[in-house]
Amino acid sequence: MSTAIPLAAKVESLTWAGQTAHKLKEEIDRLQQAGSLIVPKEPGGWWHQYVCPHHHTELMFDEVGVDATEFLCPHGCVITGDAYRGAWLVFKHQSLARVALQSAAVYAALGDVSYAQISKRLLVEYAEQFPLYPVHPEAQSWMLKGRAFHQALTEAIWSTTLIRAYLLLRDGGITFDAKEQMAIDVFLGLLAGSMEEYRHILIHERNNAENNYTAWLNASLSCVYAARGEKALLEALIEGQGGFIHHLSIGVKADQFEFEGSTYYHVFVLRAYLIAAEMAQRFGIDLYATTGAEGQSMRGMLEALADLADDQGALPALHDGPLARGPYAREIAEIAEQGLTIYGIAGLAPVLREAYRQLGAAGNEQLEALLYGGGADRAAQPEPRSSRLWPDAGFVIGRIAGNPLSFLADFGEHGGSHGHYDKLHLTLMHQDQTLTPDLGMVPYGSSMRRSWFAETASHNTVSLAGHSQAPHEGRLKHFEATDSSVYAWMQSTEGYEGCTMNRHLLLTEDWMLDWFQVELAGEQPQAIEWWMHPIVAIDGLQQPLSPEAAYQLFIAEKAGDVTTIKEQQLPITGQFVSKEDGAGQLQVAYKLDDTDAMISHTVLVQAGDEVVAVQTPGDAIDPSRSLTAMLHRRNDRKADFIHIYRAGSALQLSQIANNEISITMPEQSGTAVRIQLRTDNGLQIL
C-alpha cells in the first residue's frame, strides 16, 4: 500500500500543493528574517509545566522568539521561573525541528536549495549539540529521562521530526560532508542507545510493553534504522516483543480503541504507528494493512475517530487529553490526512476540517497537507453515521437519522493513570454543537488536573455526597439500535460501596430520554448528585440564594500510602427547584452558539428533589471562565433522575407510577408515549 507521492510531483499535479509550498516558504522566511532559527544550548524541560498557576490556562508561545525568561498567560499574567523556562524550551526545540522538516519539504516541493540549507544547518547543529546535553538531572523521578528534554518520550517525538527532515534531504540529493555526517551518526547512535535502553526497561523490567511510550520509542528507532539503512534491525523491531505488531495487539483493544480509553492517547499512539509505517515503507515493508492478534489495525483506529467525532468534526476529550489545542490539532491533521489519502476514509474529512479550523488555517495551507495530503476531497460530506458500540473500550454512541440530537456515553475501564472518575458519563450532542462535552484536561503541571478535571463532579454523571467515584469499570447491560430508536443500559456497582447505578438512554426520532436510577444498600441516606455541564447558558428561571450557599467537593490526594481529603467549595448561584416545591416538572432551554438552534430540557422533579445552579471552573481551554452546571440532587437511599431532551419545543413529563412515565408532545394534543422501567428488561415503550 503506497503512501508516497513525491512532493515535486504533487506540486505539479495539485494546484493547492504548490500554493501550500509557497505559503510554508513564506513562514520560514519570516522566522529567518526575525533571527529566530537559533538552536538553544539548553535542554528542554517538561511541557506540561507551561501553564499559568493562577488561571490554569496554557501559557503563550511565539515561535518567532529567540529566547525568553518571562512567559505570558492569555489573561495578562507574567510568569517566571526555571520550570516555565524549561517548558518554553520544549516548545522552542520542537518548533525548530518542525522548521527543519518544513524547510526540507519546501526544498523537495519547489527545488529551492536555500531551504535545504536551512534544514541542513538546523539538523547538523542539533546533531552537534545533542551529545552536550546531559541525561536530564532535573527530570522527575517517575520519568524515563532524556537528554534534550526531561522525558525520553518527548525526545522520541522530537527525533522523528528531525530524522524525517534528514531523510527528505537525502531523498532530494543533498549531501553532508564528513564532519557533518559524523555528527549526525553520533546523534543517531546516542539516540538509538537510549531508545533501546528504555524499551528494555519498559518491556522487560517493568512488564509494561503496552505503554504509549513504547509506540514512540519504536517510532524513533524506526526512523534511526531507516536513516542508517538497517533493515534487519527494523524487521526485528516490527516482529519482536513490544514491537509494532505486538504493541498493536496489546496497546489497542479488539474494538480498535487505544487501551487507556483516551481519545488524545489514541491519536498519540496512532501517529507513532504511522511514522513507523512510513519508515518501514522505505525498505519495501508494508505495515499499513498489518493487523494485531485480534484484528487491530491503523485503518480501524482511524475509522474509530471518524465515528467518535461530533457533526462538526471535533473529537471528544475522553479521559486525559485537551479539549482543543494547537499542537494537538496538528497531530490530528497529520493522521487525518493519511487516513484520507491511504485508506480513503471519507468520515475523516470533517475531522480534518475542524483541525485546520482550530489552527486558523484556510484549506490545505499546512505542512501536514503538503507532506501527507493526496488530493482527497476534503469538502466531501461523508455518509450519514449510525450508532456504534465499542464493547472493549466501553463507549457507545447513539444516532438516529432525522434527529439532530445524539449521545456518547462511557461505561468502560477506568483508564489507568490517564483515567477519570467518570463512569456513566454522558455527552449530549446536537448537529450544530456539542452541548455537554467532557471538559477535557489541563496540562498536567496544573493543580486542577486532580482537583477538578479528573473528578466525578466535573463530568455528566452521578456522585455521592461530594465524593468522587472509585476507579472502576462499569458494564453495558443492554444495547439495541434500530432505524427508529437506540437504547443503551449501563450499570456501575463499584463506584461507591453498596451503591448500584443504572443509566438508561433512549434516543428516538424526536427526543432523548435519560433515566438515571441510583440505589444504596445501607440504611443511611446520602446526598445523591446528578450533574450536567452545558457549555452554553441555561435559560431557566432561578430563585436567588444567599451568597454563602455552596457545594462541598471532597478531593482525595494521595502521597505514597497516605490519602488526604481536602475540601473545595463551589458557589451555588440559584435554585431551579427547591426541596419544598414538591413534585412536578422543570423546563429549561439552551440556545446554541452562533445558530438559531435550541435544545429543550424537561426534568421530572420528585417531592424532596432539589435542582440548583452551581458555578464551576470552565473547560480545560480556559478554566478561569466559569460555567454554570445543573445539579439535581436528593438525600435518600434511592433516586430516579428522569430528564428528556428535544431539539426545538419542549415536551411534557409526568409520573404514572414509580416505574412508569408519560411523555407528551404539546403540539400533538392528546398524544402521549408511556415508558416503563423494568428491572429485567430495562426501558420499554408501551
Side-chain angles (χ1 to χ4, degrees):
M1 185 182 297
S2 175
T3 65
I5 302 175
L7 295 187
K10 191 180 290 188
V11 167
E12 289 180 4
S13 61
L14 299 169
T15 302
W16 65 261
Q19 295 170 342
T20 297
H22 282 285
K23 183 178 184 297
L24 297 175
K25 173 179 173 293
E26 292 168 1
E27 288 179 0
I28 298 165
D29 291 344
R30 286 194 295 272
L31 295 173
Q32 181 87 323
Q33 290 162 9
S36 61
L37 302 184
I38 298 173
V39 172
K41 303 302 181 186
E42 297 171 71
W46 190 40
W47 83 261
H48 280 285
Q49 290 173 309
Y50 205 60
V51 58
C52 177
H54 311 295
H55 295 93
H56 302 277
T57 55
E58 189 171 323
L59 299 174
M60 300 165 69
F61 174 76
D62 184 356
E63 62 183 359
V64 174
V66 178
D67 200 358
T69 56
E70 294 183 340
F71 313 98
L72 302 180
C73 161
H75 294 282
C77 301
V78 179
I79 309 297
T80 60
D82 291 344
Y84 302 103
R85 175 166 171 75
W88 179 88
L89 282 163
V90 174
F91 286 92
K92 186 62 180 176
H93 287 306
Q94 291 174 329
S95 172
L96 291 173
R98 182 178 174 84
V99 172
L101 179 58
Q102 186 165 320
S103 299
V106 168
Y107 163 69
L110 303 178
D112 189 329
V113 177
S114 65
Y115 293 90
Q117 294 304 318
I118 292 172
S119 180
K120 180 178 174 180
R121 177 182 66 79
L122 290 170
L123 286 168
V124 172
E125 286 187 21
Y126 266 124
E128 292 172 342
Q129 182 62 35
F130 190 72
L132 304 179
Y133 294 134
V135 175
H136 218 299
E138 298 175 11
Q140 297 180 37
S141 59
W142 57 268
M143 295 177 176
L144 296 175
K145 298 178 181 180
R147 284 180 176 271
F149 307 92
H150 278 194
Q151 281 190 294
L153 176 61
T154 314
E155 196 150 286
I157 298 166
W158 168 80
S159 71
T160 63
T161 307
L162 286 175
I163 298 172
R164 282 184 289 165
Y166 173 66
L167 290 168
L168 258 182
L169 292 179
R170 279 200 342 200
D171 291 346
I174 299 300
T175 58
F176 296 77
D177 65 29
K179 181 182 176 184
E180 292 167 340
Q181 191 61 53
M182 180 177 292
I184 288 173
D185 290 343
V186 169
F187 164 62
L188 294 174
L190 285 171
L191 182 67
S194 62
M195 297 296 115
E196 289 164 353
E197 176 187 353
Y198 290 135
R199 284 189 81 255
H200 180 83
I201 291 171
L202 276 177
I203 296 166
H204 300 288
E205 295 182 18
R206 297 185 182 177
N207 194 29
N208 190 207
E210 70 275 14
N211 197 300
N212 59 64
Y213 251 74
T214 309
W216 276 102
L217 300 179
N218 289 345
S220 179
L221 282 170
S222 297
C223 290
V224 170
Y225 297 154
R228 300 199 302 201
E230 296 170 327
K231 182 178 181 180
L233 288 177
L234 182 62
E235 289 175 330
L237 183 65
I238 292 168
E239 300 289 342
Q241 187 176 1
F244 183 92
I245 297 172
H246 184 221
H247 193 273
L248 182 63
S249 299
I250 62 175
V252 180
K253 292 183 176 291
D255 60 12
Q256 309 294 343
F257 212 88
E258 196 266 347
F259 81 101
E260 293 163 294
S262 160
T263 316
Y264 174 77
Y265 286 100
H266 183 96
V267 170
F268 188 66
V269 166
L270 178 53
R271 182 169 173 248
Y273 288 166
L274 286 164
I275 290 171
E278 181 183 340
M279 296 302 110
Q281 189 176 59
R282 288 176 168 272
F283 294 107
I285 301 170
D286 184 4
L287 294 181
Y288 292 101
T290 298
T291 57
E294 297 180 276
Q296 301 96 324
S297 66
M298 290 188 288
R299 173 187 282 277
M301 294 178 74
L302 287 160
E303 288 173 341
L305 292 174
D307 277 341
L308 266 179
D310 68 14
D311 289 333
Q312 289 73 50
L315 295 173
L318 299 171
H319 297 182
D320 272 357
L323 189 61
R325 182 173 177 265
Y328 180 39
R330 291 192 189 282
E331 295 170 5
I332 293 170
E334 183 174 314
I335 65 169
E337 288 282 12
Q338 293 177 80
L340 283 160
T341 299
I342 301 167
Y343 300 105
I345 302 171
L348 289 171
V351 176
L352 184 63
R353 288 197 297 272
E354 172 61 18
Y356 285 153
R357 185 199 66 78
Q358 291 182 19
L359 291 167
N364 315 314
E365 296 174 352
Q366 291 288 306
L367 176 60
E368 290 71 21
L370 183 62
L371 288 173
Y372 298 110
D377 186 0
R378 294 164 180 78
Q381 292 299 319
E383 293 295 318
R385 297 174 296 170
S386 59
S387 300
R388 177 163 176 179
L389 171 65
W390 287 267
D392 304 298
F395 302 115
V396 59
I397 280 184
R399 298 185 179 100
I400 289 291
N403 190 340
L405 300 182
S406 58
F407 70 82
L408 165 62
D410 176 353
F411 63 86
E413 293 181 14
H414 176 69
S417 63
H418 294 298
H420 291 185
Y421 311 107
D422 64 349
K423 288 310 102 183
L424 311 193
H425 165 86
L426 170 68
T427 292
L428 178 62
M429 298 171 282
H430 185 280
Q431 65 185 14
D432 292 335
Q433 183 179 3
T434 294
L435 178 65
T436 63
D438 191 308
L439 298 175
M441 178 51 70
V442 288
Y444 298 161
S446 167
S447 62
M448 291 191 75
R449 180 190 187 190
R450 299 299 183 194
S451 67
W452 177 246
F453 286 100
E455 298 298 314
T456 302
S458 77
H459 294 84
N460 307 309
T461 185
V462 162
S463 60
L464 287 188
H467 292 271
S468 281
Q469 301 169 4
H472 73 290
E473 181 177 357
R475 63 188 63 85
L476 185 69
K477 296 275 290 181
H478 186 75
F479 175 69
E480 183 177 354
T482 69
D483 290 341
S484 58
S485 68
V486 180
Y487 173 45
W489 174 6
M490 300 164 293
Q491 185 180 82
S492 160
T493 57
E494 299 172 13
Y496 302 95
E497 185 177 356
C499 176
T500 298
M501 300 192 292
N502 287 285
R503 189 165 211 164
H504 303 266
L505 301 172
L506 177 61
L507 179 70
T508 72
E509 295 166 305
D510 193 63
W511 40 261
M512 195 192 87
L513 174 66
D514 174 16
W515 191 327
F516 203 135
Q517 190 173 77
V518 184
E519 293 188 66
L520 306 181
E523 295 298 321
Q524 189 68 29
Q526 291 193 59
I528 305 172
E529 304 157 341
W530 179 98
W531 288 94
M532 179 187 181
H533 297 270
I535 58 170
V536 300
I538 304 174
D539 183 8
L541 184 63
Q542 295 183 43
Q543 305 167 25
L545 289 174
S546 68
E548 292 77 24
Y551 171 81
Q552 291 181 318
L553 175 65
F554 298 97
I555 311 297
E557 295 186 356
K558 292 185 178 180
D561 295 330
V562 178
T563 299
T564 303
I565 303 296
K566 294 189 176 181
E567 183 179 333
Q568 179 178 333
Q569 292 196 336
L570 301 174
I572 295 178
T573 58
Q575 287 182 320
F576 294 103
V577 178
S578 70
K579 293 179 183 178
E580 291 73 31
D581 284 349
Q585 62 177 347
L586 164 69
Q587 292 187 338
V588 298
Y590 311 93
K591 185 181 183 306
L592 303 186
D593 294 337
D594 304 321
T595 73
D596 294 326
M598 186 78 72
I599 297 176
S600 298
H601 176 190
T602 305
V603 184
L604 190 61
V605 183
Q606 314 278 355
D609 284 5
E610 182 181 26
V611 186
V612 298
V614 182
Q615 183 178 315
T616 73
D619 62 30
I621 300 170
D622 190 351
S624 69
R625 294 183 176 175
S626 61
L627 294 171
T628 297
M630 177 183 285
L631 173 58
H632 184 179
R633 61 185 176 181
R634 180 180 185 84
N635 197 64
D636 206 337
R637 294 175 51 247
K638 180 178 179 181
D640 284 86
F641 301 112
I642 303 172
H643 296 245
I644 194 163
Y645 306 90
R646 189 189 197 195
S649 59
L651 298 168
Q652 301 290 329
L653 267 179
S654 59
Q655 186 111 29
I656 298 174
N658 286 339
N659 65 338
E660 189 173 330
I661 62 171
S662 174
I663 302 169
T664 304
M665 290 176 274
E667 70 272 18
Q668 299 178 17
S669 180
T671 301
V673 177
R674 291 171 58 200
I675 296 178
Q676 193 173 83
L677 178 56
R678 299 174 180 169
T679 56
D680 51 353
N681 297 322
L683 289 183
Q684 303 290 317
I685 299 178
L686 302 180

